[in-house]
Amino acid sequence: MSAVYAQDEYGRPIIIVREGQKKQRVSGIEAHKSHILAARAVANIVKTSLGPRGLDKILISPDGEITVTNDGATILTQMEVQHQIAKLLVQLSKSQDDEIGDGTTGVVVMAGALLEEADAMLDRGIHPIAIADGYERACNVAVAHLESIADTVPFDKNNTDMLMRTAKTSLGSKIVSKCHDKFAKMAVDAVLSVADLERKDVDFELIKVDGKMGGSLVDSVLVKGVVVDKDFSHPQMPKELKNCKIAILTCPFEPPKPKTKHQLDITSVEEYKNLQQYEKDKFNEMVKQVKDSGANLVICQWGFDDEANHLLMQNQLPAVRWVGGPEIELIAIATNGRIVPRFAELTPEKLGFAGTVKEVAFGTTKDRMLVIEECANSRAVTVFVRGGNKMIIDEAKRSLHDAICVVRNLVRDNRIVYGGGAAEITCSLAIEKAADQVSSIEQYAMRGFASALDAIPLALAENSGLSPIETLADVKSRHATENNPWLGIDCNLKGSNDMRKQFVFDPLLSKRSQFLLATQLVKMILKIDDVIMPGEIEG
Amino acid sequence: MQNQFLQPQIILLKEGTDTSQGRGQLLSNINACIAVADSIRTTLGPRGMDKLIVDNNGKVTISNDGATILRLLDIVHPAGKALVDISRSQDAEVGDGTTSVTLFAAELLKEVKLFVEEGLPPQVIIKGFRRASQLAINYIKEIAVSVERKNESEFRDLLEKCAATAMSSKLIHSHKDFFKKMVVDAVLHLDQESLNEKLIGVKKVPGGGMQDSLFINGVAFKKTFSYAGFEQQPKSFKYPKILCLNVELELKAEKDNAEVRVEQVSVSKEYQAIVDAEWKIIYDKLEKISNSGAKVVLSKLPIGDLATQFFADRDIFCAGRVGADDLGRVIKAVGGVIQTSVKDISHDHLGVCDSFEEKQIGGERFNIFEGCPKAKTCTLVLRGGAEQFIAEVERSLHDAIMIVRRAIKNKSVVAGGGATEMEISKYLRDYSRTVEGKQQMVIASFAKSLEVIPRQLCDNSGFDAIDVLNKLRQKHAQGCKWFGVDMESESIADNFEKFVWEPALVKTNMISSASEAACLILSVDETVKNAQSQPPDAGMPGRGKTILYGIY
Ligand SMILES: Nc1ncnc2c1ncn2[C@@H]1O[C@H](COP(=O)(O)OP(=O)(O)OP(=O)(O)O)[C@@H](O)[C@H]1O
Ligand SMILES: Nc1ncnc2c1ncn2[C@@H]1O[C@H](COP(=O)(O)OP(=O)(O)OP(=O)(O)O)[C@@H](O)[C@H]1O
Ligand SMILES: [Mg+2]
Ligand SMILES: [Mg+2]
């Protein structure tokens, strides 16, 4: 009567498979229990990757692609979960990812724990909806308590210390923890360069995260500007330009071609020559138009042939061709230029400006990229991740994404709570207290919620090799005796449980969202008493 | 593909049952209806459960709504389908009570099954049902409490209560207080004469808690696909003029099928002329739009990169490929006329609103028009963890919106939680005693069938149904007409005082359509058999899914 999932000690792909037993329908409480079982199986899978000492998982896709990751949302989406209820947990982690970016493992672990508690309560005959209502009530208590214990972290463009520390907490559990500082700094700088601190808004479109194989993680850089995976169109063009006035063109360097269907028949040599001459004149005219506008660099969305290329070179007009639409837009924004659709419309005001544009070679490869820096508008940035192989780069990008999200969340709302399970433990205690005031049956459910919260510190302790129950009991009692809500699990064995001193911060937004989303989902699962699939009907 | 707990809850039966005889067929139809009702029995009431349904395309729906579940089950048994139809029509007419109507219809049939087996002619039963149903409806009208719309805040209160009752069986029930305000705000925002609920837009943004849902006083829709240059357009305006188009703004061939033939290279300068002409066409269009004074340009058709950049240069906001219904709502709200050409745009073709803004909501960017002068519209932006979750929130709000509309139109309410059903049941039972002969039995069964609602409410909550029903019968005999099942005390209470209110229309419609459906099923015997042996009738879905036949 169990959902089977396969997982070996290396965390190889895990698939929940059906059991080939005789089909039989379950309903009522039995159905509930089987749903819970499936959901918990999923939660157990990601539990081991929670926290700074959590393990990574290697996932192999059906076509052999390998992903190494610690990110809950990634693990779950890449796993082929079949069970309908289990799939809901995958969605849960995805919505935390969409909304907050970090905390995607924690939210699933919490939902799993809530369901486990619910299971026990169902056994005691408590109605699933009564459990759901009690959870809701407990969640409200928890969220209110979180808000009451939250600390505000001051920061501004020059004082980023707190942002750094929060970003580091998020990176702590990832592969990149070796170059912690570097990545945290890149995340903070990237967000702060594009953030509108007044409106508390961070436009993610302005942050591009790019990666290229070669070098190591330490070589990753934040470019205050745009990086395009292109090079100058002619090898003899200069590799570095200063004070660039950039013409950003969406028209090709070629003679005009009507969109109307047309046909041209060449019947004589003379005509052919004429045509060539005509094309040449056109090129010259175009180059002249660009030069006249004052531009000294052309970025072109389309291509041009060798002849045009040669001509550009001769005219000392460096050019880049085949730049994609999104990059064109990013360059336009960064350099405060306008995208120009026709040569005839080029004017000096429409040009973009960048302090330097240079071609950079990476590592030993021949690959070159164009780095556009010191732009007129400093808001667009690119994070450029380096690493030995694709897996590392991908995971580093994901981790960086988490960290960027964390910083963004702090820009939106600069309140934090303490990590390492500290927030969960104090909420758990607060709910216990509140439950005492409740006379109805919901009291049990609230207590259940309180003990479910322990799952986070328990998992953190277990993953760090501590004895989970003793560690938690110890910290919990100190919460009560020392009345100190900052105590958590000392995952990195630093010798202190004070998360405030260890600077383990999680944004309030993230914790709040974890609580709300997990509760919501668990309520939804508790309300389902039947899963109806299409398919064969047996008589 | 399924493991053992994913077994289709299928409602079964073996084909080749006794279908030869009229009566055998009739009984098998009755059984089919009971089977259909059984599939949604547990969803009734505040402690009702939800169903998770996977369709053939793998799309998952989680719902408590009777009509939705039955629709997805894709029932093809002709008799079973009759029940699906009434749940649908209840949904269209009233919006709520779709589970109740199905249960009640099935219960009516169950009650008279014995009579049928004993050979009572169906016509007799039908006659009795029609009479009972008429009496019941008249009686509801008599006891319903009507509220005059004199005092706005009192009236609003009434509406909120009806909304809350409709929501109480849904996933959102613990956020009733939040959503009932939203729903009532939305309906009161509409023109009170027409109450066109289509003007309430609902947008779903996955993520966030449901309490992060928003009420927007105007129209909102998701950012459409945009071309390079879009980010350089301004994203907020005060009192902008709005132009809605059904025009493609892209650099295109002059005439779609025109073909030019260029004879000589020397004339290939003609190329330039053609190209210039092409550019002139689009620029003329753009120029006209920009001269019209519009600051926000929307089009059903694509707006290309050239146009996007042109607008960006002139501080105009544009969005192409706006969905037809979104554009329709914008036009209704801000005024103006959708233009199919840009030839002569005059002032009154443009709409206006107080403010326009592109805003981030969750992971999505939204275009929001607020303070619209023309039509009273509003938009509900729903948030929630999973996609299916929001879909269910939407359905639940739809129920509540429909109920509030009904309440505004009819202004009379009754108490829920089985109170009304118990009261009619008592009334009919009393009445039946004054009738002679077989009709007495039939009307009494009708009366008994009504008890299915409170009984199911108890069963679903885990209460002792026999005990609760006894208490209720006693109370109603004493003339306390609003006593029904109470969730808090796990017993009974005066649900009118508990504010479990529902528009009277929910009940009258439930009774009349359930009894009609029961009569319909009782009146067919041979016909159904024919329908079954013939190739599947029109309603047979090609998807071939859950198929219901009769039982046994
Ligand atoms: N140095 C630390 N000491 C103690 N606890 C820590 C430390 N760093 C992080 N944590 C805790 O680890 C948890 C985060 O773990 P992790 O980053 O693996 O998962 P997640 O954030 O839930 O999901 P994901 O990062 O996969 O989206 C949080 O509860 C955080 O408070
Ligand atoms: N607070 C309450 N206490 C007792 N009964 C209630 C309460 N709220 C609603 N009910 C009852 O629950 C029943 C409605 O249940 P439900 O909404 O699940 O089904 P429905 O309205 O028939 O169908 P659907 O909503 O699926 O279209 C009604 O009989 C109503 O009176
Ligand atoms: Mg994390
Ligand atoms: Mg309802």
Side-chain angles (χ1 to χ4, degrees):
Chain A
M1 185 61 210
S2 69
V4 176
Y5 66 93
Q7 179 196 22
D8 62 17
E9 63 264 49
Y10 307 110
R12 279 207 213 114
I14 314 118
I15 295 163
I16 297 203
V17 283
R18 71 196 136 112
E19 256 177 354
Q21 281 183 2
K22 190 177 178 313
K23 297 174 178 175
Q24 70 190 55
R25 246 198 73 234
V26 285
S27 61
I29 294 300
E30 277 306 301
H32 275 108
K33 297 186 69 114
S34 69
H35 296 164
I36 290 176
L37 199 66
R40 277 175 49 202
V42 168
N44 284 336
I45 291 165
V46 292
K47 205 168 176 176
T48 51
S49 55
L50 184 76
R53 308 289 291 274
L55 300 175
D56 290 359
K57 300 248 181 283
I58 300 176
L59 300 156
I60 306 164
S61 77
D63 41 21
E65 200 174 312
I66 298 176
T67 311
V68 181
T69 186
N70 176 281
D71 187 62
T74 311
I75 298 173
L76 290 176
T77 36
Q78 303 230 340
M79 242 164 61
E80 300 227 342
V81 176
Q82 290 291 342
H83 193 285
Q84 289 302 334
I85 300 286
K87 273 188 187 165
L88 294 174
L89 262 83
V90 179
Q91 276 216 9
L92 168 69
S93 133
K94 203 173 157 295
S95 31
Q96 172 83 9
D97 199 29
D98 292 346
E99 186 80 2
I100 303 290
D102 192 22
T104 62
T105 313
V107 72
V108 175
V109 172
M110 183 172 159
L114 284 172
L115 286 169
E116 192 170 342
E117 291 295 330
D119 198 24
M121 281 185 268
L122 287 173
D123 283 341
R124 291 161 66 188
I126 302 181
H127 195 281
I129 296 196
I131 302 177
D133 288 349
Y135 277 0
E136 180 75 38
R137 208 153 157 177
C139 179
N140 290 341
V141 173
V143 169
H145 185 68
L146 277 183
E147 276 167 19
S148 74
I149 57 159
D151 271 350
T152 310
V153 292
F155 70 90
D156 56 48
K157 295 232 166 185
N158 304 315
N159 174 14
T160 60
D161 197 39
M162 287 305 189
L163 296 183
M164 284 282 293
R165 294 193 191 280
T166 322
K168 272 198 224 164
T169 305
S170 157
L171 290 169
S173 53
K174 311 291 180 202
I175 231 170
V176 298
S177 58
K178 277 178 282 172
C179 29
H180 232 135
D181 286 323
K182 173 134 206 169
F183 272 72
K185 186 154 176 30
M186 287 199 299
V188 171
D189 286 353
V191 173
L192 287 184
S193 355
V194 307
D196 180 339
L197 291 183
E198 233 145 74
R199 282 180 53 219
K200 302 193 169 207
D201 185 47
V202 179
D203 188 353
F204 268 14
E205 313 261 327
L206 297 176
I207 304 179
K208 216 173 128 214
V209 179
D210 243 337
K212 200 148 185 100
M213 257 199 272
S216 80
L217 287 175
V218 195
D219 302 328
S220 306
V221 282
L222 175 78
V223 176
K224 298 223 165 142
V226 187
V227 179
V228 207
D229 196 354
K230 290 279 169 309
D231 46 13
F232 288 112
S233 60
H234 199 287
Q236 285 167 10
M237 287 174 182
K239 297 287 171 246
E240 177 161 354
L241 301 168
K242 290 275 175 208
N243 294 329
C244 306
K245 295 206 181 111
I246 309 172
I248 305 163
L249 298 172
T250 51
C251 45
F253 267 95
E254 58 180 37
K257 239 194 224 147
K259 296 253 173 186
T260 316
K261 283 187 200 150
H262 60 276
Q263 199 175 355
L264 178 62
D265 299 324
I266 310 270
T267 44
S268 68
V269 175
E270 193 194 346
E271 269 183 30
Y272 183 72
K273 280 197 178 141
N274 270 344
L275 182 67
Q276 273 197 322
Q277 186 56 43
Y278 169 75
E279 288 194 347
K280 197 156 183 192
D281 291 349
K282 269 287 164 202
F283 284 144
N284 277 323
E285 190 188 328
M286 289 170 185
V287 170
K288 183 166 178 303
Q289 276 168 329
V290 174
K291 288 228 126 175
D292 285 353
S293 74
N296 53 13
L297 171 64
V298 181
I299 304 251
C300 192
Q301 190 172 15
W302 304 104
F304 33 82
D305 59 18
D306 287 346
E307 197 160 338
N309 200 6
H310 187 72
L311 209 66
L312 284 167
M313 217 272 294
Q314 272 185 339
N315 281 286
Q316 274 143 30
L317 197 55
V320 187
R321 57 185 158 180
W322 297 121
V323 179
E327 277 99 12
I328 285 269
E329 185 165 29
L330 211 53
I331 294 173
I333 294 173
T335 62
N336 267 347
R338 290 295 182 176
I339 302 170
V340 177
R342 279 201 295 185
F343 288 96
E345 288 173 40
L346 263 176
T347 55
E349 310 83 67
K350 293 202 171 171
L351 302 180
F353 179 83
T356 53
V357 175
K358 62 183 172 202
E359 219 179 88
V360 183
F362 284 101
T364 52
T365 54
K366 279 185 296 188
D367 283 336
R368 297 173 158 273
M369 291 188 125
L370 209 62
V371 178
I372 304 171
E373 276 176 311
E374 296 160 46
C375 302
N377 173 359
S378 57
R379 288 186 58 211
V381 297
T382 306
V383 184
F384 201 66
V385 179
R386 309 299 317 279
N389 59 46
K390 188 165 170 295
M391 287 179 293
I392 297 246
I393 294 178
D394 285 347
E395 174 66 354
K397 274 161 106 176
R398 279 191 289 269
S399 314
L400 197 65
H401 169 80
D402 279 18
I404 289 177
C405 286
V406 165
V407 181
R408 188 247 343 238
N409 293 338
L410 283 185
V411 171
R412 281 201 190 146
D413 181 343
N414 64 346
R415 286 176 296 170
I416 51 117
V417 292
Y418 295 91
E424 283 85 359
I425 295 172
T426 143
C427 284
S428 167
L429 292 169
I431 294 169
E432 289 275 2
K433 213 186 222 164
D436 293 342
Q437 321 286 322
V438 176
S439 57
S440 64
I441 205 152
E442 287 172 16
Q443 189 192 86
Y444 292 99
M446 292 178 74
R447 294 237 163 79
F449 192 104
S451 34
L453 284 177
D454 290 346
I456 302 281
L458 283 174
L460 286 173
E462 188 164 349
N463 293 345
S464 315
L466 301 165
S467 103
I469 303 200
E470 278 160 42
T471 316
L472 177 65
D474 177 46
V475 177
K476 239 186 170 170
S477 74
R478 284 178 58 198
H479 264 263
T481 52
E482 295 170 28
N483 200 11
N484 179 351
W486 306 309
L487 298 176
I489 305 293
D490 179 20
C491 294
N492 290 335
L493 309 179
K494 294 238 170 94
S496 158
N497 286 94
D498 194 329
M499 292 296 133
R500 200 179 195 190
K501 292 208 180 104
Q502 283 209 28
F503 301 109
V504 179
F505 301 156
D506 285 326
L508 173 69
L509 281 182
S510 167
K511 267 280 137 18
R512 174 179 177 272
S513 157
Q514 277 188 342
F515 284 13
L516 289 178
L517 290 179
T519 308
Q520 209 176 75
L521 185 99
V522 166
K523 281 175 58 190
M524 178 157 93
I525 293 181
L526 285 174
K527 210 165 177 303
I528 297 173
D529 72 342
D530 213 341
V531 173
I532 303 170
M533 304 278 290
E536 339 88 61
I537 302 144
E538 285 171 37
Chain B
M1 279 288 293
Q2 321 146 9
N3 68 14
Q4 55 181 14
F5 16 90
L6 293 186
Q7 277 337 292
Q9 140 147 82
I10 290 326
I11 319 179
L12 23 145
L13 121 142
K14 294 211 167 132
E15 224 169 334
T17 334
D18 174 15
T19 54
S20 51
Q21 297 278 311
R23 206 202 298 161
Q25 179 63 58
L26 183 50
L27 286 173
S28 124
N29 286 345
I30 291 178
N31 287 330
C33 290
I34 296 172
V36 168
D38 279 344
S39 68
I40 55 168
R41 207 167 272 285
T42 59
T43 67
L44 185 78
R47 293 280 171 95
M49 294 292 157
D50 292 358
K51 305 278 169 202
L52 185 153
I53 303 165
V54 188
D55 74 7
N56 279 357
N57 307 323
K59 187 169 175 280
V60 176
T61 308
I62 296 174
S63 186
N64 173 275
D65 187 62
T68 307
I69 300 171
L70 290 178
R71 178 169 52 79
L72 291 168
L73 283 181
D74 225 356
I75 290 162
V76 290
H77 188 288
K81 267 183 80 165
L83 291 200
V84 180
D85 290 344
I86 54 168
S87 78
R88 257 190 228 182
S89 80
Q90 175 89 7
D91 199 28
E93 290 279 315
V94 196
D96 190 22
T98 63
T99 310
S100 310
V101 75
T102 317
L103 290 183
F104 180 49
E107 193 68 15
L108 280 173
L109 292 169
K110 199 173 176 181
E111 280 297 325
V112 298
K113 195 169 142 196
L114 197 68
F115 301 159
V116 176
E117 275 167 359
E118 283 169 357
L120 189 68
Q123 288 71 19
V124 176
I125 304 176
I126 293 175
K127 191 160 158 244
F129 276 3
R130 296 230 159 103
R131 188 151 151 206
S133 135
Q134 197 49 52
L135 284 165
I137 290 169
N138 290 342
Y139 187 58
I140 294 177
K141 289 188 179 143
E142 198 183 309
I143 58 172
V145 179
S146 59
V147 181
E148 278 315 307
R149 191 171 184 173
K150 279 192 217 110
N151 180 335
E152 270 304 313
S153 79
E154 228 169 66
F155 190 64
R156 190 187 161 101
D157 208 42
L158 160 93
L159 299 179
E160 286 192 1
K161 287 185 176 125
C162 291
T165 308
M167 285 179 213
S168 60
S169 54
K170 312 294 181 209
L171 257 178
I172 55 175
H173 80 114
S174 48
H175 297 278
K176 269 196 292 219
D177 291 339
F178 176 81
F179 283 113
K180 75 184 183 198
K181 285 210 182 61
M182 191 159 168
V183 163
V184 173
D185 275 342
V187 180
L188 289 180
H189 211 78
L190 299 175
D191 184 60
Q192 295 301 294
E193 280 306 304
S194 60
L195 283 181
N196 180 1
E197 85 278 1
K198 302 226 163 55
L199 288 175
I200 303 177
V202 177
K203 298 286 158 188
K204 296 174 268 186
V205 186
M210 29 182 164
Q211 52 274 64
D212 298 330
S213 299
L214 296 173
F215 174 87
I216 290 173
N217 169 15
V219 187
F221 59 89
K222 263 182 211 161
K223 171 181 177 290
T224 53
F225 181 83
S226 64
Y227 287 91
F230 177 74
E231 298 303 337
Q232 287 177 304
Q233 294 178 350
K235 296 294 158 48
S236 94
F237 294 98
K238 285 260 164 271
Y239 308 106
K241 296 236 162 42
I242 300 154
L243 174 62
C244 296
L245 297 170
N246 193 1
V247 178
E248 196 171 358
L249 295 175
E250 269 185 308
L251 184 58
K252 277 187 86 175
E254 200 171 338
K255 276 196 202 92
D256 269 344
N257 291 316
E259 195 167 320
V260 236
R261 204 180 169 84
V262 184
E263 299 286 327
Q264 280 227 344
V265 176
S266 55
V267 248
S268 81
K269 285 187 193 94
E270 276 179 20
Y271 266 15
Q272 188 64 53
I274 301 169
V275 170
D276 285 347
E278 283 170 0
W279 282 84
K280 191 167 167 342
I281 294 174
I282 176 97
Y283 270 115
D284 275 355
K285 281 189 192 170
L286 294 177
E287 213 55 69
K288 284 202 176 104
I289 293 172
S290 135
N291 288 340
S292 75
K295 280 289 162 200
V296 176
V297 177
L298 308 176
S299 178
K300 254 188 227 172
L301 298 173
I303 295 184
D305 45 0
L306 179 66
T308 304
Q309 290 143 21
F310 180 94
F311 290 137
D313 285 352
R314 284 158 189 76
D315 288 339
I316 294 173
F317 174 91
C318 73
R321 294 193 191 154
V322 180
D325 51 336
D326 286 328
L327 200 66
R329 286 202 313 122
V330 171
I331 276 284
K332 283 216 183 81
V334 304
V337 187
I338 298 188
Q339 299 292 300
T340 46
S341 113
V342 295
K343 284 225 180 64
D344 23 43
I345 305 171
S346 77
H347 215 75
D348 38 308
H349 294 151
L350 302 179
V352 281
C353 69
D354 290 354
S355 77
F356 166 81
E357 195 179 357
E358 189 199 80
K359 244 197 215 151
Q360 184 91 18
I361 302 180
E364 312 263 7
R365 287 158 81 183
F366 268 84
N367 299 316
I368 299 176
F369 300 81
E370 278 184 301
C372 305
K374 281 286 175 215
K376 301 172 170 164
T377 64
C378 58
T379 308
L380 310 181
V381 178
L382 306 183
R383 309 296 319 275
E387 214 177 291
Q388 295 89 351
F389 185 92
I390 316 183
E392 173 68 355
V393 173
E394 182 184 7
R395 277 190 294 272
S396 311
L397 291 188
H398 172 258
D399 277 18
I401 287 172
M402 296 296 281
I403 282 298
V404 171
R405 279 182 66 218
R406 284 298 162 194
I408 291 181
K409 288 207 164 150
N410 295 31
K411 302 190 184 65
S412 70
V413 292
V414 294
T420 311
E421 287 84 355
M422 283 310 283
E423 181 60 19
I424 312 167
S425 175
K426 182 208 125 216
Y427 167 77
L428 287 178
R429 215 171 29 243
D430 290 351
Y431 176 85
S432 74
R433 299 210 177 96
T434 68
V435 190
E436 294 284 299
K438 305 224 162 77
Q439 291 295 312
Q440 179 179 23
M441 281 162 23
V442 176
I443 296 178
S445 332
F446 194 99
K448 182 135 183 285
S449 309
L450 281 163
E451 291 182 352
V452 68
I453 303 293
R455 184 164 354 103
Q456 196 64 47
L457 288 173
C458 291
D459 284 350
N460 289 352
S461 320
F463 306 160
D464 180 352
I466 297 175
D467 181 45
V468 173
L469 283 189
N470 272 337
K471 282 192 200 146
L472 282 176
R473 283 192 205 108
Q474 202 180 354
K475 276 287 173 198
H476 283 263
Q478 292 164 0
C480 309
K481 55 178 188 273
W482 297 131
F483 266 72
V485 184
D486 181 43
M487 295 298 146
E488 277 159 45
S489 63
E490 310 215 335
S491 174
I492 63 171
D494 185 326
N495 276 346
F496 206 83
E497 274 167 16
K498 285 248 166 186
F499 301 120
V500 183
W501 296 358
E502 292 177 276
L505 190 79
V506 179
K507 301 296 174 200
T508 52
N509 207 67
M510 166 188 114
I511 289 176
S512 69
S513 43
S515 113
E516 273 317 304
C519 292
L520 176 77
I521 287 162
L522 288 170
S523 68
V524 273
D525 42 15
E526 220 66 30
T527 344
V528 171
K529 186 185 147 212
N530 290 344
Q532 227 178 8
S533 54
Q534 273 165 10
D537 60 347
M540 175 80 148
R543 292 185 280 167
K545 247 218 196 146
T546 313
I547 299 180
L548 292 184
Y549 295 103
I551 241 165
Y552 307 124

